[in-house]
Amino acid sequence: MSKVQEYGYLSAKLKARMSSFISEDRKNQIIQSKSLQEAFIPLRDSSFEDLEGIYNATGDIKAVEAALTDKETQLFGALFPHLHGSALAFIQALAQEAELGTLKFALRLWFDARVRGRPIDDRAAYLHFDYDALLAAGDAQGVAKALGKGSYSSIVAGKVAETLKTGSLFELETALDRSYFDGLFLALEQLPPEEAKAVREFVALEVDIYNITCLLRLKRFGNFPAERAAGYLIDFGNSTSPGDLFARYETGNFTALLAGIAGRPAAKPESSGLRDTDMAKFALLERILRRARVEKAKKIRGKNPFSIGIVVAYLVLAREELSLVKTLLNAKYYGFDEERTKNAL
Amino acid sequence: MMFTVPMKHLNAAVLQKDVPAVTEELLRLGSLDAVSVGGLEGSRTTPGARVGGQDIQRLSSARKRIEGLMRLANPPLPRGDPATYLGEDPPLIAEVEKRLDAFAARLQSIRQRQAEVQERMLKVLDLKRQVEAQGDQKRHDHLSGSSLVAMKSGSVPEAGMKSLESAFSSLPALILKDAGSSQGRISILVVSLKRDEERIKELLDRFGWKAEEKGALRSQAYADSIKEIEERKAGLEKILENFQNEYAAAVSEKASDLARDWGRLRVAELSQKLNSGFRSTESVCLISGWIPREETADVEAGIKKASQGRCYVEWAEPEDSAPPVQMKNPSILAPFQALVTNYGIPGYGAVDPTPFVAVAYLCMFGLMFGDAGHGAVLAVLGFAGMTRAKRRGTSDTLVRLIFYCGLAAVAAGFLFGSFFGFKLFPALWFDYHRAVLGQTTGGAQKIGSIYDILGITIKFGIGVLGTGFLINWVNLFRRKEWRALALDKAGLAGGWIYAAGTYVAFYFVDHEYRSLPNLGTLALILGIPTLLLGLNAPLARAMRREKEKQGVLGLAMEFLMEWVVEILEVYSGYLANTLSFMRVAGLGIAHVSLMSAFFQIARSIHPQGGFSVAGILVLIMGNILVIGLEGLSAGIQSLRLNYYEFFSKYFDSTGRAYAPVSLRNID
């Protein structure tokens, strides 16, 4: 099958979808809305029109968030029938991130309910019933049994006892993340060279964003020995190894860290961010990398339409759009004014 | 309708104290396309009227916010006529904003309370799902075991029962009580989710829980649980329904207030907008702008009435200034006017192309999509879209265009005798299907082949392009551009070449592609206008009276090059423009061919004759495909022919649209 045959229809379909993404004008209208109820009005006649109906029926922002999560899952699901072979395997590997996100959320709920004895009813309400058994599990064995033979059950089974012992989900979650990245790298290797080249930069950015998030969490937990902490980071052969990265992080030299993590033109820091607290700096860095990812996707959108690049670019932009809508609606829910809403983006 | 609307320039001076009344009158009339008056020489004028104004941005955003709030009702609340509020004091924007915030907060508080009940509902549904998944205890030995539901039987002191029930009301759990009590204790069965076991245990312990085996309670657990859950669910559903009613009532209760605020804000906003174009001295305000000629009397009378005669009004003809352009067509032509303005605004005083576009567009569409059945489908879809747009208060331009195209296709279907590809009635003109399929030999039908159809569309194209030339000549004549009228490539010389070229082409075809008119005739009909084209550039240069920097030879070479390029452009361009109309035949032929292909497929499924169920399905799918695909192609190609072939002959999109500040404006 030629590349044109393989991607022709899908590419046209995705480009049509991309042209109907939320416009800047609509985005500004949402930002300027004075209440959450009013924020749904600019979403009418868009692919997010159904959210208003969901909110009106429930009054619950969590129901809206659950619908957005479903939309994210559907994004991937809608692509699978149009892909084949190694390209399908790669997109399936990417899709694991969303699935993993739900699993980690369920594990956090289980941990809160079982270990910390906290109520989880409101958060568990919109969780898929596949996770009922997990939430009801009383011990490590029960957790492993509840997950059955799912993709991540062996990792969970291996780490859950340690989780109960240490009282922290960090190890378990990083093990799951590592497994996701291992699967992604494997799928990347199996792509034909020109296809792999088209998406390698995306994977690198994915890794960078993950590493930054991980460093952010480590910072929250307090002092971690450098050697151990570096072990949590993912090594994708970027310009800076996780060890070096962590060393720069430990020195508190944000500029050096920034240079190490990306070394990309799009990752230039905004000077105002440098004077902020460490947490704000990390958040800024994450935003810069996310923006770099979006810019890269936009660039690819105008290039070769007959490659997996267009599919990944679509996924990046579509997920960014979902995240934008989620952030905007949440900002309205919490009563953020225009300025604060813009800063949250 | 034939030409753009003639305009007159208004210059008026009114006293500052009369500005509010005059502004309102101008808004009511809705005719003034205000022009900002520049500073007057030797006078101290300032922009805008000296009337107390509020921030126009705030007025506008509050008005838009109300529009949004009105759309929250189902169906959306009507806005009413802002003219009703003319003469009232403008609303204080801060007060309106406060009212809107309070209203939005009220709606939000309903949603918040609704969310709390919804949370309880989700807990009930969660419990219901899990209890049902567990099944009836009567059919299972143990209710717990591997289940996700936990059950505990025991007793609690009767005195604390109410408090216990109250504490349980926020949990996804049930308390099933035994009838009666013994020694001040009451037997209960607690049904909860396993994940909440820790919390439930802690809670029960606080209320003096004593675990005891209660077989009787357990035996009824499933039925009692389901009953209890259903009761709770019904209760919560009722509350949720009440929230919807409360919300609808809150919105409709505010309907008249919102309509009133919207109307007053709209008047204030437009007054501000209008005033911003005025210019003021200490005591006088100068008003300037364009008014359609036929409305000048009303406007003058209005200004005099509002200022009680304390005014000076002067009218000027548009001479050197460029008036705005208004195209006034019957509302039935609105979709075609939208097609024209989408391309550009014609120059002031030019022929309004809308009626010509309407005829040309519909003819082209009908020729490409000539099937009464397919046309009827489009017409029905268009009509449904128009009804929907009317109900939602949105623009119906596109759906109305689809409706008209459908009607054009129905008419063409009768001309060609086609109904969903079937020949149910005789063709009024010629049978398109038979002509395309070459089945007309020896019959009475004159149009017997694809070439005949191509010929028709070329003649149609010549007619369209000829109309384009005529319109251009009229425009040039009205603008008194005599040189361009005589010598331009789309002027008389260009038209002469086009007419002569058409004659030569038909002569050539009529003589079986073997001979052309004699040389003398060719020199006369093509040579003379071609030479005339060569005079265009030197004459234009001479009329501009520019000082020449080049020498005579250089100038002659430049004119020669311009002439050669012009000749190439005229001859190749006009030929291409005309042949471009063959696409009309091309799409019509494709339409017929596709239908024939689907008929062949349908027949081949059941070669014995007639159509099988599968064959009918093929025909239905084929028709849907043809309507979707061909409908879109025909629409796009008709537009393309209008824009690139027809408009290129005469359309001068240098106009500015007439935009009066009016209460009727919608944005």
Side-chain angles (χ1 to χ4, degrees):
Chain A
M1 191 188 277
S2 74
K3 292 287 167 208
V4 176
Q5 282 173 314
E6 193 175 355
Y7 292 108
Y9 173 72
L10 186 58
S11 171
K13 194 172 166 177
L14 298 185
K15 284 201 168 187
R17 280 194 193 167
M18 284 191 264
S19 68
S20 63
F21 279 165
I22 297 279
S23 66
E24 207 52 26
D25 186 40
R26 272 188 208 250
K27 184 177 126 184
N28 287 332
Q29 284 178 35
I30 303 172
I31 292 172
Q32 284 160 10
S33 306
K34 306 284 186 207
S35 66
L36 176 59
Q37 184 73 66
E38 290 167 86
F40 288 103
I41 298 169
L43 291 173
R44 289 181 182 179
D45 298 322
S46 77
S47 56
F48 296 97
E49 191 174 39
D50 56 328
L51 298 183
E52 187 179 11
I54 292 168
Y55 181 67
N56 288 348
T58 62
D60 193 352
I61 186 75
K62 288 193 293 294
V64 176
E65 284 179 330
L68 285 166
T69 307
D70 283 348
K71 279 180 189 286
E72 188 173 7
T73 311
Q74 286 158 15
L75 273 185
F76 289 96
L79 293 174
F80 295 157
H82 304 287
L83 293 163
H84 313 276
S86 58
L88 174 63
F90 182 77
I91 299 299
Q92 281 174 332
L94 263 184
Q96 289 296 308
E97 195 197 354
E99 194 183 307
L100 197 58
T102 314
L103 172 63
K104 286 198 286 187
F105 178 67
L107 284 167
R108 277 175 219 156
L109 291 183
W110 165 79
F111 189 74
D112 274 358
R114 283 292 176 178
V115 181
R116 293 177 176 157
R118 290 179 186 166
I120 57 163
D121 309 323
D122 54 338
R123 285 177 290 156
Y126 295 101
L127 192 67
H128 196 272
F129 56 78
D130 281 354
Y131 292 101
D132 281 349
L134 171 64
L135 297 185
D139 51 23
Q141 262 185 332
V143 170
K145 197 178 160 195
L147 290 175
K149 288 176 181 172
S151 3
Y152 297 103
S153 55
S154 60
I155 298 169
V156 176
K159 290 277 181 185
V160 74
E162 189 184 345
T163 298
L164 290 170
K165 201 173 132 196
T166 58
S168 163
L169 279 165
F170 188 73
E171 290 288 343
L172 173 56
E173 288 192 5
T174 47
L176 288 169
D177 292 333
R178 186 167 290 282
S179 156
Y180 158 69
F181 279 109
D182 287 345
L184 188 65
F185 298 160
L186 190 67
L188 179 69
E189 275 172 31
Q190 281 161 5
L191 285 173
E194 71 278 15
E195 295 273 83
K197 193 181 164 196
V199 294
R200 187 169 291 278
E201 180 77 2
F202 280 116
V203 176
L205 278 163
E206 194 80 23
V207 171
D208 285 345
I209 292 170
Y210 174 79
N211 281 343
I212 277 297
T213 318
C214 193
L215 289 177
L216 194 63
R217 287 184 73 186
L218 288 174
K219 198 87 187 167
R220 254 187 224 138
F221 290 145
N223 292 326
F224 258 74
E227 207 169 292
R228 193 177 151 209
Y232 292 121
L233 303 181
I234 304 291
D235 192 355
F236 182 59
N238 292 1
S239 51
T240 309
S241 71
D244 285 348
L245 201 60
F246 195 81
R248 292 181 198 213
Y249 153 78
E250 272 206 316
T251 62
N253 188 341
F254 182 72
T255 315
L257 178 62
L258 183 63
I261 194 117
R264 299 181 175 81
K268 280 177 190 152
E270 288 143 22
S271 56
S272 61
L274 290 171
R275 288 191 293 273
D276 290 331
T277 63
D278 282 351
M279 299 295 263
K281 285 174 191 171
F282 279 107
L284 171 70
L285 187 50
E286 195 199 338
R287 277 212 302 275
I288 290 169
L289 289 170
R290 284 171 71 103
R291 203 191 309 152
R293 186 166 60 174
V294 169
E295 290 308 318
K296 171 87 184 156
K298 283 182 179 167
K299 214 180 275 179
I300 284 211
R301 190 172 52 175
K303 286 187 178 170
N304 179 15
F306 309 117
S307 92
I308 197 171
I310 190 82
V311 183
V312 177
Y314 164 74
L315 285 170
V316 166
L317 295 174
R319 292 176 80 188
E320 201 63 31
E321 189 193 34
L322 285 166
S323 155
L324 170 81
V325 173
K326 199 181 272 190
T327 309
L328 287 175
L329 293 178
N330 266 298
K332 292 298 144 192
Y333 175 73
Y334 289 109
F336 285 12
D337 60 17
E338 274 184 54
E339 200 53 42
R340 206 168 159 206
T341 307
K342 279 180 191 164
N343 287 338
L345 295 177
Chain B
M1 184 172 148
M2 192 64 191
F3 299 101
T4 63
V5 174
M7 296 277 166
K8 274 198 156 190
H9 192 260
L10 164 76
N11 283 310
V14 298
L15 295 177
Q16 286 293 352
K17 65 175 180 181
D18 294 327
V19 167
V22 171
T23 303
E24 289 205 343
E25 184 61 19
L26 287 171
L27 275 184
R28 196 181 60 76
L29 292 165
S31 305
L32 181 71
D33 184 335
V35 174
S36 188
V37 188
L40 300 179
E41 216 174 303
S43 68
R44 289 181 190 165
T45 60
T46 50
R50 296 193 171 199
V51 287
Q54 302 182 76
D55 181 357
I56 194 163
Q57 290 299 332
R58 267 178 87 183
L59 288 169
S60 170
S61 58
R63 190 252 308 162
K64 283 180 185 160
R65 187 178 179 197
I66 294 180
E67 285 169 11
L69 290 168
M70 286 171 140
R71 288 173 68 196
L72 291 178
N74 189 19
L77 299 174
R79 288 175 191 172
D81 182 4
T84 321
Y85 305 100
L86 283 171
E88 287 193 17
D89 287 337
L92 288 173
I93 185 68
E95 281 181 12
V96 174
E97 285 170 345
K98 212 166 144 188
R99 276 201 294 276
L100 295 180
D101 286 343
F103 177 52
R106 188 177 165 200
L107 296 182
Q108 213 56 67
S109 102
I110 296 173
R111 291 292 184 229
Q112 214 164 335
R113 284 181 286 129
Q114 183 187 347
E116 284 160 18
V117 176
Q118 173 70 15
E119 205 172 285
R120 281 162 59 197
M121 174 64 110
L122 286 170
K123 287 173 190 171
V124 170
L125 292 176
D126 205 3
L127 191 62
K128 180 173 186 270
R129 181 162 52 85
Q130 310 231 18
V131 169
E132 280 177 345
Q134 170 123 340
D136 190 342
Q137 188 193 11
K138 284 174 185 167
R139 283 180 279 141
H140 301 279
D141 291 340
H142 301 288
L143 197 61
S144 49
S146 63
S147 116
L148 309 179
V149 177
M151 297 189 69
K152 290 175 190 293
S153 59
S155 66
V156 288
E158 198 176 358
M161 192 60 210
K162 278 202 169 166
S163 308
L164 179 66
E165 281 178 318
S166 161
F168 262 68
S169 66
S170 63
L171 293 170
L174 297 172
I175 296 179
L176 304 175
K177 286 183 283 184
D178 199 2
S181 60
S182 142
Q183 295 169 345
R185 294 184 73 82
I186 187 161
S187 299
I188 59 170
L189 182 75
V190 176
V191 180
S192 67
L193 300 181
K194 270 198 168 176
R195 70 180 192 222
D196 296 321
E197 268 182 317
E198 302 295 323
R199 274 198 297 161
I200 299 285
K201 185 176 177 297
E202 202 177 292
L203 196 62
L204 288 173
D205 287 346
R206 259 199 282 145
F207 285 89
W209 167 260
K210 209 160 95 186
E212 292 160 12
E213 189 48 45
K214 302 284 177 187
L217 274 174
R218 278 185 183 271
S219 67
Q220 278 302 313
Y222 178 74
D224 290 351
S225 298
I226 292 293
K227 190 176 163 219
E228 172 80 16
I229 288 170
E230 287 298 346
E231 276 172 13
R232 277 200 198 183
K233 187 171 158 260
L236 292 172
E237 275 169 353
K238 186 79 194 149
I239 300 172
L240 285 172
E241 196 186 316
N242 288 343
F243 281 125
Q244 299 297 355
N245 295 337
E246 188 185 344
Y247 185 90
V251 176
S252 67
E253 193 183 289
K254 274 275 169 193
S256 63
D257 288 348
L258 288 173
R260 183 178 159 73
D261 276 337
W262 182 84
R264 293 167 76 211
L265 284 170
R266 188 69 179 142
V267 169
E269 183 190 353
L270 291 175
S271 299
Q272 288 282 94
K273 193 176 168 188
L274 202 56
N275 285 170
S276 64
F278 299 172
R279 197 146 187 113
S280 296
T281 67
E282 197 57 44
S283 55
V284 175
C285 182
L286 304 174
I287 300 166
S288 180
W290 293 100
I291 307 276
R293 189 189 292 262
E294 60 189 30
E295 292 169 37
T296 51
D298 287 346
V299 171
E300 186 165 341
I303 294 173
K304 283 182 176 162
K305 189 179 120 198
S307 64
Q308 295 173 340
R310 295 183 294 263
C311 63
Y312 170 77
V313 178
E314 181 188 88
W315 296 101
E317 291 295 334
E319 283 167 4
D320 295 334
S321 48
V325 175
Q326 184 187 25
M327 291 187 282
K328 208 168 184 179
N329 288 293
S331 62
I332 197 169
L333 294 181
F336 304 103
Q337 187 168 313
L339 291 183
V340 174
T341 51
N342 183 49
Y343 183 84
I345 306 294
Y348 175 74
V351 173
D352 178 353
T354 307
F356 301 99
V357 169
V359 173
Y361 192 94
L362 293 179
C363 286
M364 290 171 196
F365 191 88
L367 283 170
M368 289 187 261
F369 199 78
D371 186 291
H374 294 168
V377 171
L378 278 194
V380 168
L381 289 175
F383 188 75
M386 283 160 67
T387 314
R388 185 169 180 256
K390 193 175 176 186
R391 209 174 48 240
R392 301 180 79 175
T394 52
S395 164
D396 69 349
T397 309
L398 181 64
V399 283
R400 191 122 63 101
L401 184 64
I402 292 172
F403 175 66
Y404 292 160
C405 286
L407 295 184
V410 170
F414 280 105
L415 291 177
F416 303 142
S418 174
F419 187 81
F420 290 113
F422 290 98
K423 188 173 164 49
L424 294 188
F425 40 77
L428 295 177
W429 185 8
F430 68 91
D431 188 328
Y432 212 123
H433 284 253
R434 288 178 66 196
V436 170
L437 302 173
Q439 297 168 346
T440 57
T441 44
Q445 188 167 316
K446 285 181 183 170
I447 313 296
S449 70
I450 285 174
Y451 297 105
D452 295 331
I453 298 172
L454 288 170
I456 290 172
T457 55
I458 287 178
K459 284 172 193 158
F460 173 70
I462 292 167
V464 171
L465 295 179
T467 309
F469 277 112
L470 279 174
I471 295 175
N472 192 44
W473 298 341
V474 173
N475 285 344
L476 294 171
F477 181 82
R478 283 169 65 86
R479 292 206 300 266
K480 298 184 175 68
E481 292 182 19
W482 310 118
R483 180 197 49 77
L485 174 61
L487 303 174
D488 201 69
K489 64 179 179 182
L492 291 168
W496 184 350
I497 294 175
Y498 186 62
T502 306
Y503 165 73
V504 172
F506 276 95
Y507 183 97
F508 186 59
V509 173
D510 286 346
H511 290 79
E512 295 177 343
Y513 308 95
R514 285 188 183 150
S515 64
L516 290 168
N518 63 50
L519 209 58
T521 312
L522 283 178
L524 189 74
I525 62 172
L526 283 173
I528 294 176
T530 307
L531 285 172
L532 284 175
L533 275 185
L535 296 177
N536 194 20
L539 212 58
R541 182 75 65 109
M543 286 166 81
R544 283 202 300 272
R545 290 183 187 140
E546 288 172 1
K547 279 191 176 178
E548 304 302 344
K549 288 174 189 166
Q550 297 155 284
V552 178
L553 191 64
L555 209 58
M557 284 304 293
E558 191 186 312
F559 290 147
L560 184 68
M561 282 308 293
E562 269 185 49
W563 185 46
V564 170
V565 170
E566 191 101 308
I567 290 170
L568 286 172
E569 211 180 308
V570 166
Y571 280 85
S572 63
Y574 288 173
L575 180 67
N577 288 157
T578 310
L579 294 181
S580 184
F581 280 84
M582 284 165 64
R583 74 185 65 230
V584 174
L587 272 154
I589 292 163
H591 190 116
V592 169
S593 306
L594 270 173
M595 284 313 302
S596 301
F598 285 117
F599 269 100
Q600 279 178 24
I601 296 170
R603 284 201 185 98
S604 67
I605 294 172
H606 197 254
Q608 297 87 339
F611 293 109
S612 62
V613 175
I616 291 168
L617 276 176
V618 166
L619 284 181
I620 292 172
M621 293 309 292
N623 274 287
I624 292 172
L625 185 79
V626 168
I627 291 170
L629 207 67
E630 289 284 309
L632 194 65
S633 304
I636 292 169
Q637 294 304 333
S638 303
L639 192 65
R640 185 224 176 275
L641 286 169
N642 271 286
Y643 280 178
Y644 295 107
E645 320 303 349
F646 187 39
F647 282 7
S648 62
K649 296 290 156 294
Y650 66 93
F651 203 100
D652 164 28
S653 58
T654 54
R656 172 178 76 82
Y658 169 64
V661 180
S662 164
L663 292 174
R664 293 184 292 273
N665 285 359
I666 298 167
D667 63 3

